[in-house]
Amino acid sequence: MTDLAVYGGLFLVAFVAATIFPMQSEAGLVALIVTERYPVLVLIAVATLGNVLGSTVNWLLGLGLERFRHKRWFPVGQPALGKAQGWYRRYGKWSLLLSWMPIIGDPITVVAGVLREPFPMFLLLVTIAKTVRYGVLAAATLGVMG
């Protein structure tokens, strides 16, 4: 498999994992780290880029979908959306630092769009959160390997 295909696959998995579809980008990152064939910092950067862009899709969905939130096909369930809105109202933009968390992370990024968080701040906080998450995961993986 070519390096481009490997990086593209990691990007795609990380992108989809950040949207409303369930997927594990962490497993893909760890699997590539343990091969010791790819620079860890490049893997972290690719996973972060894919994951941040996936979260950006959520933010964009939030901008336009709020009026449809009571529809059965709405991409985030009411309980998860309600929980995320509660977090967002309580902690404001800083709740985006939790965008890496399972279950509430994706809805928080949708809520940021619904509540019209300015995109530059959204992008900064989500990028920090996703980078730290992948960095910690890589460090833990390398610690286990070393």
Side-chain angles (χ1 to χ4, degrees):
M1 188 176 286
T2 68
D3 289 352
L4 185 58
V6 169
Y7 293 130
L10 178 60
F11 175 89
L12 185 61
V13 167
F15 177 87
V16 173
T19 64
I20 58 172
F21 300 104
M23 191 168 286
Q24 283 290 333
S25 60
E26 296 85 356
L29 179 63
V30 168
L32 290 172
I33 290 171
V34 299
T35 69
E36 298 181 343
R37 292 187 56 214
Y38 306 97
V40 173
L41 291 178
V42 174
L43 293 174
I44 291 170
V46 169
T48 297
L49 180 62
N51 216 235
V52 168
L53 289 177
S55 291
T56 299
V57 168
N58 293 345
W59 180 83
L60 290 168
L61 284 171
L63 286 178
L65 287 181
E66 162 54 22
R67 66 180 176 263
F68 300 113
R69 70 185 266 174
H70 297 293
K71 301 289 185 182
R72 291 173 56 161
W73 53 263
F74 190 73
V76 178
Q78 277 303 119
L81 185 62
K83 190 174 211 176
Q85 283 179 315
W87 273 95
Y88 210 88
R89 285 192 179 105
R90 184 169 183 186
Y91 300 107
K93 62 187 169 202
W94 304 112
S95 64
L96 288 168
L97 292 173
L98 299 175
S99 62
W100 63 270
M101 289 183 67
I103 301 171
I104 67 164
D106 297 341
I108 286 172
T109 60
V110 173
V111 168
V114 168
L115 298 177
R116 306 288 196 252
E117 181 63 48
F119 185 69
M121 183 56 69
F122 170 87
L123 188 61
L124 174 67
L125 294 173
V126 169
T127 300
I128 290 169
K130 306 291 186 159
T131 303
V132 169
R133 186 248 327 252
Y134 287 126
V136 168
L137 181 61
T141 302
L142 292 171
V144 169
M145 291 172 50

